[in-house]
Amino acid sequence: MADDIEEYLRRFLATTDGLLGIIISDRDGVPVAKALNGGVPEAATRPGFLATFSMAAEQASKLGLGSNKSLVCLYDNFQVVHLNFTPLVATLLANCDANTGILLAMKAQLNDSIQQLKEAVDGL
C-alpha cells in the first residue's frame, strides 16, 4: 500500500511546477509515505521539522479561531505548506517560485489517498 501511495505522490512531483517533495507524516513527524526529488534540503525531512505543524496548530487553536487547516512558511529559497489531515499531516516542499495557491489546492486531490492511509494507521 505504501508503494502505491508513494507512486501517487511521485506523479504530483512530475506534474506540479516547483514542487520538490511531499511527505505524509504523523503528528510526531514520523514519515508514513514520501516522494522526494534531489532538491529537498535534508533538514526539511527530519521528524523534528515535520512535527512543527502539530505544535503550531496546537498553539494557534488557543486563539479560539477553530482548527488549523494549513500552514504556509516562506523562506528565501523554499516554501513549505503543511496540510492538516488529522492525525496525519502532508508537508509539501517547493521552491520559492512555486504557486502557493496550487499547493494549497492539492489538499482536495490528496484527500482520498490520505484517507486510506489514515484507515491503515488507525488499524495499527
Side-chain angles (χ1 to χ4, degrees), residues 42-108:
E42 189 268 330
T45 64
R46 293 183 186 155
F49 179 81
L50 297 172
T52 57
F53 174 80
S54 296
M55 292 182 286
E58 184 178 318
Q59 292 301 312
S61 69
K62 294 176 183 177
L63 296 172
L65 300 174
S67 64
N68 194 312
K69 295 180 182 180
S70 62
L71 177 69
V72 177
C73 300
L74 303 172
Y75 300 94
D76 289 336
N77 298 317
F78 298 97
Q79 60 181 298
V80 179
V81 177
H82 296 281
L83 303 172
N84 192 6
F85 293 94
T86 304
L88 300 176
V89 175
T91 301
L92 311 178
L93 305 153
N95 66 35
C96 59
D97 297 324
N99 185 319
T100 307
I102 290 174
L103 298 177
L104 288 167
M106 288 176 67
K107 183 170 186 173

Short mmCIF file of all heavy atoms in Angstrom, two decimals, residues 42-108:
data_model
loop_
_atom_site.label_atom_id
_atom_site.label_comp_id
_atom_site.label_asym_id
_atom_site.label_seq_id
_atom_site.Cartn_x
_atom_site.Cartn_y
_atom_site.Cartn_z
N GLU A 42 17.89 18.34 3.33
CA GLU A 42 17.80 17.19 4.23
C GLU A 42 17.13 17.57 5.56
O GLU A 42 16.36 16.79 6.12
CB GLU A 42 19.21 16.62 4.45
CG GLU A 42 19.24 15.30 5.18
CD GLU A 42 19.39 15.48 6.68
OE1 GLU A 42 20.00 16.46 7.12
OE2 GLU A 42 18.86 14.62 7.41
N ALA A 43 17.39 18.76 6.04
CA ALA A 43 16.81 19.20 7.32
C ALA A 43 15.28 19.23 7.28
O ALA A 43 14.63 19.02 8.30
CB ALA A 43 17.35 20.57 7.70
N ALA A 44 14.71 19.45 6.10
CA ALA A 44 13.26 19.52 5.97
C ALA A 44 12.59 18.16 6.02
O ALA A 44 11.36 18.08 6.06
CB ALA A 44 12.89 20.24 4.68
N THR A 45 13.37 17.10 6.02
CA THR A 45 12.78 15.75 6.06
C THR A 45 12.90 15.13 7.45
O THR A 45 12.45 14.01 7.65
CB THR A 45 13.47 14.83 5.04
OG1 THR A 45 14.84 14.66 5.40
CG2 THR A 45 13.37 15.39 3.62
N ARG A 46 13.46 15.84 8.38
CA ARG A 46 13.65 15.32 9.74
C ARG A 46 12.34 15.38 10.52
O ARG A 46 11.56 16.33 10.38
CB ARG A 46 14.71 16.12 10.47
CG ARG A 46 16.08 15.95 9.90
CD ARG A 46 17.10 16.72 10.70
NE ARG A 46 18.40 16.67 10.04
CZ ARG A 46 19.33 17.57 10.20
NH1 ARG A 46 19.13 18.60 11.01
NH2 ARG A 46 20.48 17.45 9.58
N PRO A 47 12.11 14.40 11.38
CA PRO A 47 10.88 14.40 12.19
C PRO A 47 10.69 15.68 13.00
O PRO A 47 9.56 16.16 13.13
CB PRO A 47 11.04 13.18 13.09
CG PRO A 47 11.87 12.24 12.28
CD PRO A 47 12.85 13.14 11.55
N GLY A 48 11.76 16.25 13.53
CA GLY A 48 11.63 17.48 14.31
C GLY A 48 11.03 18.62 13.51
O GLY A 48 10.21 19.39 14.01
N PHE A 49 11.44 18.73 12.25
CA PHE A 49 10.89 19.76 11.37
C PHE A 49 9.45 19.43 10.99
O PHE A 49 8.57 20.30 10.99
CB PHE A 49 11.74 19.91 10.12
CG PHE A 49 11.21 20.94 9.15
CD1 PHE A 49 11.45 22.29 9.36
CD2 PHE A 49 10.46 20.56 8.05
CE1 PHE A 49 10.96 23.24 8.49
CE2 PHE A 49 9.96 21.50 7.18
CZ PHE A 49 10.21 22.85 7.39
N LEU A 50 9.19 18.17 10.66
CA LEU A 50 7.86 17.76 10.22
C LEU A 50 6.82 17.92 11.33
O LEU A 50 5.64 18.13 11.06
CB LEU A 50 7.88 16.32 9.71
CG LEU A 50 8.76 16.08 8.47
CD1 LEU A 50 8.86 14.59 8.18
CD2 LEU A 50 8.23 16.85 7.28
N ALA A 51 7.25 17.83 12.58
CA ALA A 51 6.32 17.94 13.71
C ALA A 51 5.96 19.39 14.03
O ALA A 51 5.06 19.63 14.84
CB ALA A 51 6.92 17.29 14.94
N THR A 52 6.60 20.35 13.37
CA THR A 52 6.32 21.77 13.69
C THR A 52 4.87 22.15 13.43
O THR A 52 4.32 22.99 14.14
CB THR A 52 7.24 22.72 12.92
OG1 THR A 52 7.10 22.49 11.52
CG2 THR A 52 8.68 22.55 13.34
N PHE A 53 4.25 21.53 12.42
CA PHE A 53 2.85 21.88 12.14
C PHE A 53 1.96 21.55 13.32
O PHE A 53 1.13 22.35 13.73
CB PHE A 53 2.33 21.16 10.89
CG PHE A 53 0.86 21.41 10.67
CD1 PHE A 53 0.43 22.58 10.09
CD2 PHE A 53 -0.09 20.49 11.08
CE1 PHE A 53 -0.92 22.85 9.91
CE2 PHE A 53 -1.43 20.74 10.91
CZ PHE A 53 -1.85 21.92 10.32
N SER A 54 2.15 20.37 13.88
CA SER A 54 1.31 19.96 15.01
C SER A 54 1.47 20.91 16.19
O SER A 54 0.49 21.30 16.83
CB SER A 54 1.65 18.54 15.45
OG SER A 54 1.35 17.64 14.41
N MET A 55 2.71 21.31 16.44
CA MET A 55 2.95 22.25 17.55
C MET A 55 2.34 23.61 17.26
O MET A 55 1.69 24.21 18.12
CB MET A 55 4.44 22.37 17.81
CG MET A 55 5.06 21.10 18.37
SD MET A 55 6.82 21.27 18.74
CE MET A 55 7.52 21.27 17.10
N ALA A 56 2.52 24.10 16.04
CA ALA A 56 1.98 25.41 15.67
C ALA A 56 0.45 25.39 15.66
O ALA A 56 -0.20 26.34 16.11
CB ALA A 56 2.50 25.83 14.30
N ALA A 57 -0.14 24.30 15.16
CA ALA A 57 -1.60 24.19 15.13
C ALA A 57 -2.17 24.17 16.53
O ALA A 57 -3.22 24.76 16.80
CB ALA A 57 -2.01 22.94 14.35
N GLU A 58 -1.49 23.49 17.44
CA GLU A 58 -1.94 23.42 18.82
C GLU A 58 -1.94 24.81 19.45
O GLU A 58 -2.89 25.21 20.13
CB GLU A 58 -1.04 22.48 19.61
CG GLU A 58 -1.48 22.26 21.04
CD GLU A 58 -0.58 21.27 21.76
OE1 GLU A 58 -0.22 20.25 21.16
OE2 GLU A 58 -0.25 21.54 22.92
N GLN A 59 -0.88 25.57 19.23
CA GLN A 59 -0.81 26.92 19.78
C GLN A 59 -1.84 27.84 19.13
O GLN A 59 -2.48 28.65 19.81
CB GLN A 59 0.60 27.49 19.61
CG GLN A 59 1.65 26.79 20.43
CD GLN A 59 1.35 26.83 21.92
OE1 GLN A 59 1.03 27.88 22.48
NE2 GLN A 59 1.41 25.68 22.56
N ALA A 60 -2.01 27.73 17.82
CA ALA A 60 -2.97 28.58 17.11
C ALA A 60 -4.40 28.29 17.54
O ALA A 60 -5.24 29.20 17.54
CB ALA A 60 -2.82 28.38 15.60
N SER A 61 -4.69 27.05 17.91
CA SER A 61 -6.06 26.71 18.32
C SER A 61 -6.44 27.45 19.60
O SER A 61 -7.63 27.65 19.88
CB SER A 61 -6.21 25.21 18.51
OG SER A 61 -5.48 24.76 19.64
N LYS A 62 -5.45 27.89 20.36
CA LYS A 62 -5.72 28.62 21.59
C LYS A 62 -6.25 30.03 21.32
O LYS A 62 -6.74 30.69 22.23
CB LYS A 62 -4.46 28.70 22.45
CG LYS A 62 -4.02 27.33 22.95
CD LYS A 62 -2.73 27.39 23.72
CE LYS A 62 -2.29 26.00 24.15
NZ LYS A 62 -1.01 26.04 24.84
N LEU A 63 -6.19 30.47 20.07
CA LEU A 63 -6.72 31.78 19.70
C LEU A 63 -8.24 31.78 19.63
O LEU A 63 -8.86 32.83 19.53
CB LEU A 63 -6.15 32.23 18.36
CG LEU A 63 -4.64 32.46 18.31
CD1 LEU A 63 -4.19 32.70 16.88
CD2 LEU A 63 -4.27 33.64 19.20
N GLY A 64 -8.84 30.58 19.62
CA GLY A 64 -10.28 30.48 19.56
C GLY A 64 -10.86 30.65 18.17
O GLY A 64 -12.03 30.96 18.01
N LEU A 65 -10.03 30.44 17.14
CA LEU A 65 -10.48 30.62 15.76
C LEU A 65 -10.85 29.30 15.09
O LEU A 65 -11.16 29.28 13.91
CB LEU A 65 -9.39 31.32 14.95
CG LEU A 65 -8.99 32.71 15.45
CD1 LEU A 65 -7.80 33.23 14.66
CD2 LEU A 65 -10.16 33.67 15.36
N GLY A 66 -10.80 28.21 15.82
CA GLY A 66 -11.10 26.90 15.25
C GLY A 66 -9.82 26.15 14.93
O GLY A 66 -8.72 26.59 15.24
N SER A 67 -9.98 25.00 14.31
CA SER A 67 -8.81 24.17 14.00
C SER A 67 -8.06 24.72 12.79
O SER A 67 -8.64 25.31 11.89
CB SER A 67 -9.23 22.72 13.75
OG SER A 67 -10.05 22.64 12.62
N ASN A 68 -6.77 24.49 12.79
CA ASN A 68 -5.89 24.96 11.74
C ASN A 68 -5.94 23.97 10.58
O ASN A 68 -5.70 22.78 10.77
CB ASN A 68 -4.48 25.07 12.31
CG ASN A 68 -3.55 25.85 11.42
OD1 ASN A 68 -3.51 25.60 10.23
ND2 ASN A 68 -2.81 26.75 12.00
N LYS A 69 -6.21 24.44 9.37
CA LYS A 69 -6.31 23.57 8.21
C LYS A 69 -5.01 23.48 7.44
O LYS A 69 -4.71 22.47 6.82
CB LYS A 69 -7.41 24.06 7.28
CG LYS A 69 -8.79 23.98 7.91
CD LYS A 69 -9.85 24.48 6.97
CE LYS A 69 -11.20 24.44 7.65
NZ LYS A 69 -12.25 24.92 6.79
N SER A 70 -4.23 24.56 7.45
CA SER A 70 -2.97 24.57 6.73
C SER A 70 -2.05 25.63 7.31
O SER A 70 -2.49 26.53 8.02
CB SER A 70 -3.20 24.81 5.23
OG SER A 70 -3.79 26.08 5.03
N LEU A 71 -0.78 25.50 6.96
CA LEU A 71 0.23 26.45 7.41
C LEU A 71 1.21 26.62 6.26
O LEU A 71 1.68 25.64 5.69
CB LEU A 71 0.96 25.90 8.64
CG LEU A 71 2.09 26.71 9.22
CD1 LEU A 71 1.57 27.99 9.84
CD2 LEU A 71 2.84 25.90 10.26
N VAL A 72 1.48 27.87 5.90
CA VAL A 72 2.42 28.17 4.82
C VAL A 72 3.62 28.89 5.41
O VAL A 72 3.45 29.89 6.12
CB VAL A 72 1.76 29.04 3.73
CG1 VAL A 72 2.76 29.40 2.64
CG2 VAL A 72 0.54 28.36 3.13
N CYS A 73 4.80 28.39 5.12
CA CYS A 73 6.05 29.03 5.57
C CYS A 73 6.87 29.37 4.33
O CYS A 73 7.14 28.49 3.50
CB CYS A 73 6.84 28.08 6.46
SG CYS A 73 5.94 27.56 7.93
N LEU A 74 7.27 30.63 4.23
CA LEU A 74 8.06 31.08 3.09
C LEU A 74 9.47 31.40 3.57
O LEU A 74 9.66 32.14 4.53
CB LEU A 74 7.43 32.31 2.45
CG LEU A 74 5.99 32.14 1.98
CD1 LEU A 74 5.40 33.46 1.54
CD2 LEU A 74 5.91 31.13 0.85
N TYR A 75 10.45 30.84 2.88
CA TYR A 75 11.85 31.05 3.18
C TYR A 75 12.51 31.71 1.97
O TYR A 75 11.86 31.92 0.95
CB TYR A 75 12.54 29.72 3.52
CG TYR A 75 11.92 29.02 4.71
CD1 TYR A 75 10.92 28.06 4.53
CD2 TYR A 75 12.31 29.33 6.00
CE1 TYR A 75 10.35 27.42 5.63
CE2 TYR A 75 11.75 28.70 7.10
CZ TYR A 75 10.76 27.75 6.90
OH TYR A 75 10.19 27.13 7.97
N ASP A 76 13.80 32.01 2.06
CA ASP A 76 14.49 32.66 0.95
C ASP A 76 14.44 31.83 -0.33
O ASP A 76 14.19 32.36 -1.41
CB ASP A 76 15.96 32.94 1.31
CG ASP A 76 16.11 34.05 2.33
OD1 ASP A 76 15.20 34.90 2.42
OD2 ASP A 76 17.14 34.06 3.02
N ASN A 77 14.68 30.54 -0.22
CA ASN A 77 14.77 29.69 -1.41
C ASN A 77 13.69 28.63 -1.51
O ASN A 77 13.61 27.93 -2.51
CB ASN A 77 16.13 29.00 -1.45
CG ASN A 77 17.26 30.00 -1.56
OD1 ASN A 77 17.18 30.95 -2.32
ND2 ASN A 77 18.30 29.82 -0.76
N PHE A 78 12.90 28.47 -0.46
CA PHE A 78 11.91 27.39 -0.43
C PHE A 78 10.62 27.88 0.19
O PHE A 78 10.58 28.91 0.85
CB PHE A 78 12.43 26.20 0.40
CG PHE A 78 13.66 25.57 -0.15
CD1 PHE A 78 14.91 25.90 0.34
CD2 PHE A 78 13.57 24.64 -1.18
CE1 PHE A 78 16.05 25.33 -0.19
CE2 PHE A 78 14.71 24.06 -1.70
CZ PHE A 78 15.95 24.41 -1.21
N GLN A 79 9.58 27.10 -0.01
CA GLN A 79 8.34 27.28 0.75
C GLN A 79 7.87 25.92 1.21
O GLN A 79 8.14 24.90 0.57
CB GLN A 79 7.27 28.01 -0.05
CG GLN A 79 6.81 27.33 -1.32
CD GLN A 79 5.76 28.16 -2.04
OE1 GLN A 79 4.69 28.39 -1.49
NE2 GLN A 79 6.06 28.59 -3.25
N VAL A 80 7.22 25.92 2.35
CA VAL A 80 6.71 24.69 2.94
C VAL A 80 5.24 24.90 3.23
O VAL A 80 4.85 25.89 3.84
CB VAL A 80 7.46 24.35 4.26
CG1 VAL A 80 6.91 23.08 4.87
CG2 VAL A 80 8.96 24.23 4.01
N VAL A 81 4.42 23.97 2.75
CA VAL A 81 2.98 24.02 3.00
C VAL A 81 2.62 22.75 3.77
O VAL A 81 2.86 21.65 3.29
CB VAL A 81 2.18 24.10 1.68
CG1 VAL A 81 0.69 24.07 1.96
CG2 VAL A 81 2.56 25.35 0.90
N HIS A 82 2.10 22.95 4.97
CA HIS A 82 1.63 21.82 5.78
C HIS A 82 0.10 21.77 5.64
O HIS A 82 -0.57 22.79 5.84
CB HIS A 82 1.98 22.01 7.26
CG HIS A 82 3.43 22.03 7.55
ND1 HIS A 82 4.20 20.89 7.63
CD2 HIS A 82 4.27 23.06 7.80
CE1 HIS A 82 5.44 21.22 7.92
NE2 HIS A 82 5.52 22.53 8.03
N LEU A 83 -0.43 20.60 5.32
CA LEU A 83 -1.88 20.40 5.19
C LEU A 83 -2.34 19.43 6.26
O LEU A 83 -1.78 18.34 6.41
CB LEU A 83 -2.21 19.85 3.80
CG LEU A 83 -1.73 20.69 2.61
CD1 LEU A 83 -1.94 19.94 1.31
CD2 LEU A 83 -2.44 22.03 2.59
N ASN A 84 -3.37 19.81 6.99
CA ASN A 84 -3.86 19.02 8.11
C ASN A 84 -4.85 17.95 7.66
O ASN A 84 -5.87 18.26 7.06
CB ASN A 84 -4.51 19.95 9.14
CG ASN A 84 -4.79 19.26 10.45
OD1 ASN A 84 -4.42 18.13 10.67
ND2 ASN A 84 -5.47 19.98 11.33
N PHE A 85 -4.54 16.71 7.95
CA PHE A 85 -5.42 15.57 7.72
C PHE A 85 -5.47 14.76 9.01
O PHE A 85 -5.22 13.56 9.01
CB PHE A 85 -4.90 14.68 6.59
CG PHE A 85 -4.91 15.29 5.23
CD1 PHE A 85 -3.77 15.92 4.73
CD2 PHE A 85 -6.03 15.25 4.43
CE1 PHE A 85 -3.76 16.47 3.47
CE2 PHE A 85 -6.03 15.80 3.16
CZ PHE A 85 -4.89 16.41 2.67
N THR A 86 -5.75 15.40 10.11
CA THR A 86 -5.66 14.79 11.44
C THR A 86 -6.04 13.31 11.41
O THR A 86 -7.09 12.97 10.87
CB THR A 86 -6.57 15.54 12.43
OG1 THR A 86 -6.21 16.91 12.41
CG2 THR A 86 -6.44 15.02 13.82
N PRO A 87 -5.19 12.42 11.89
CA PRO A 87 -3.96 12.60 12.66
C PRO A 87 -2.70 12.70 11.79
O PRO A 87 -1.60 12.71 12.31
CB PRO A 87 -3.90 11.34 13.52
CG PRO A 87 -4.47 10.28 12.62
CD PRO A 87 -5.56 10.99 11.84
N LEU A 88 -2.86 12.76 10.46
CA LEU A 88 -1.71 12.85 9.57
C LEU A 88 -1.55 14.28 9.06
O LEU A 88 -2.49 15.07 9.06
CB LEU A 88 -1.88 11.90 8.38
CG LEU A 88 -2.01 10.42 8.73
CD1 LEU A 88 -2.27 9.60 7.47
CD2 LEU A 88 -0.78 9.92 9.44
N VAL A 89 -0.34 14.58 8.61
CA VAL A 89 -0.01 15.89 8.05
C VAL A 89 0.71 15.66 6.73
O VAL A 89 1.62 14.83 6.65
CB VAL A 89 0.89 16.70 9.00
CG1 VAL A 89 1.32 18.01 8.36
CG2 VAL A 89 0.21 16.94 10.32
N ALA A 90 0.29 16.38 5.68
CA ALA A 90 1.01 16.35 4.41
C ALA A 90 1.88 17.60 4.36
O ALA A 90 1.38 18.72 4.51
CB ALA A 90 0.03 16.33 3.23
N THR A 91 3.17 17.40 4.18
CA THR A 91 4.11 18.51 4.07
C THR A 91 4.58 18.59 2.63
O THR A 91 5.15 17.63 2.10
CB THR A 91 5.32 18.30 5.01
OG1 THR A 91 4.83 18.20 6.35
CG2 THR A 91 6.29 19.46 4.91
N LEU A 92 4.30 19.72 1.99
CA LEU A 92 4.70 19.96 0.61
C LEU A 92 5.91 20.88 0.63
O LEU A 92 5.85 21.98 1.19
CB LEU A 92 3.57 20.59 -0.19
CG LEU A 92 2.19 19.93 -0.08
CD1 LEU A 92 1.17 20.69 -0.90
CD2 LEU A 92 2.25 18.49 -0.52
N LEU A 93 6.99 20.45 0.03
CA LEU A 93 8.21 21.24 -0.04
C LEU A 93 8.38 21.71 -1.48
O LEU A 93 8.35 20.89 -2.40
CB LEU A 93 9.40 20.39 0.40
CG LEU A 93 9.24 19.76 1.78
CD1 LEU A 93 10.03 18.48 1.90
CD2 LEU A 93 9.64 20.74 2.84
N ALA A 94 8.55 23.01 -1.66
CA ALA A 94 8.61 23.56 -3.01
C ALA A 94 9.64 24.68 -3.09
O ALA A 94 10.06 25.22 -2.06
CB ALA A 94 7.23 24.09 -3.42
N ASN A 95 10.03 25.03 -4.30
CA ASN A 95 10.92 26.17 -4.43
C ASN A 95 10.12 27.45 -4.20
O ASN A 95 8.89 27.43 -4.16
CB ASN A 95 11.67 26.15 -5.77
CG ASN A 95 10.78 26.33 -6.97
OD1 ASN A 95 9.79 27.06 -6.93
ND2 ASN A 95 11.12 25.67 -8.06
N CYS A 96 10.81 28.55 -4.05
CA CYS A 96 10.14 29.80 -3.68
C CYS A 96 9.25 30.35 -4.79
O CYS A 96 8.38 31.18 -4.53
CB CYS A 96 11.16 30.84 -3.22
SG CYS A 96 12.39 31.26 -4.46
N ASP A 97 9.45 29.89 -6.03
CA ASP A 97 8.65 30.39 -7.15
C ASP A 97 7.40 29.55 -7.43
O ASP A 97 6.61 29.90 -8.31
CB ASP A 97 9.51 30.43 -8.42
CG ASP A 97 10.66 31.40 -8.29
OD1 ASP A 97 10.48 32.46 -7.64
OD2 ASP A 97 11.75 31.09 -8.81
N ALA A 98 7.20 28.46 -6.71
CA ALA A 98 6.02 27.62 -6.93
C ALA A 98 4.76 28.39 -6.56
O ALA A 98 4.77 29.26 -5.68
CB ALA A 98 6.13 26.34 -6.11
N ASN A 99 3.67 28.06 -7.22
CA ASN A 99 2.39 28.73 -6.97
C ASN A 99 1.79 28.18 -5.68
O ASN A 99 1.35 27.03 -5.62
CB ASN A 99 1.46 28.49 -8.16
CG ASN A 99 0.16 29.24 -8.06
OD1 ASN A 99 -0.44 29.33 -6.99
ND2 ASN A 99 -0.27 29.77 -9.18
N THR A 100 1.76 29.02 -4.65
CA THR A 100 1.27 28.59 -3.34
C THR A 100 -0.20 28.19 -3.39
O THR A 100 -0.61 27.25 -2.72
CB THR A 100 1.49 29.71 -2.30
OG1 THR A 100 2.86 30.11 -2.33
CG2 THR A 100 1.14 29.25 -0.90
N GLY A 101 -0.99 28.87 -4.19
CA GLY A 101 -2.41 28.53 -4.33
C GLY A 101 -2.61 27.12 -4.87
O GLY A 101 -3.47 26.38 -4.40
N ILE A 102 -1.79 26.75 -5.84
CA ILE A 102 -1.87 25.38 -6.38
C ILE A 102 -1.47 24.37 -5.32
O ILE A 102 -2.11 23.31 -5.19
CB ILE A 102 -0.99 25.24 -7.64
CG1 ILE A 102 -1.61 26.03 -8.79
CG2 ILE A 102 -0.78 23.78 -8.02
CD1 ILE A 102 -0.78 26.10 -10.04
N LEU A 103 -0.45 24.69 -4.53
CA LEU A 103 -0.03 23.77 -3.46
C LEU A 103 -1.14 23.60 -2.44
O LEU A 103 -1.42 22.49 -1.99
CB LEU A 103 1.25 24.28 -2.80
CG LEU A 103 2.48 24.38 -3.70
CD1 LEU A 103 3.66 24.98 -2.93
CD2 LEU A 103 2.86 23.05 -4.32
N LEU A 104 -1.80 24.69 -2.06
CA LEU A 104 -2.91 24.60 -1.10
C LEU A 104 -4.08 23.81 -1.68
O LEU A 104 -4.75 23.06 -0.97
CB LEU A 104 -3.35 25.99 -0.67
CG LEU A 104 -2.39 26.74 0.24
CD1 LEU A 104 -2.78 28.21 0.35
CD2 LEU A 104 -2.34 26.10 1.62
N ALA A 105 -4.33 23.97 -2.98
CA ALA A 105 -5.43 23.26 -3.63
C ALA A 105 -5.18 21.76 -3.73
O ALA A 105 -6.12 20.98 -3.94
CB ALA A 105 -5.68 23.85 -5.02
N MET A 106 -3.95 21.34 -3.55
CA MET A 106 -3.64 19.91 -3.60
C MET A 106 -4.29 19.13 -2.46
O MET A 106 -4.40 17.91 -2.53
CB MET A 106 -2.12 19.70 -3.60
CG MET A 106 -1.48 20.09 -4.91
SD MET A 106 0.31 19.96 -4.89
CE MET A 106 0.52 18.20 -4.76
N LYS A 107 -4.74 19.83 -1.43
CA LYS A 107 -5.39 19.14 -0.31
C LYS A 107 -6.57 18.30 -0.80
O LYS A 107 -6.73 17.16 -0.40
CB LYS A 107 -5.83 20.12 0.77
CG LYS A 107 -6.44 19.41 1.96
CD LYS A 107 -6.67 20.32 3.13
CE LYS A 107 -7.15 19.48 4.31
NZ LYS A 107 -7.24 20.24 5.54
N ALA A 108 -7.38 18.87 -1.67
CA ALA A 108 -8.54 18.14 -2.19
C ALA A 108 -8.10 16.93 -3.01
O ALA A 108 -8.73 15.87 -2.93
CB ALA A 108 -9.41 19.07 -3.04
#
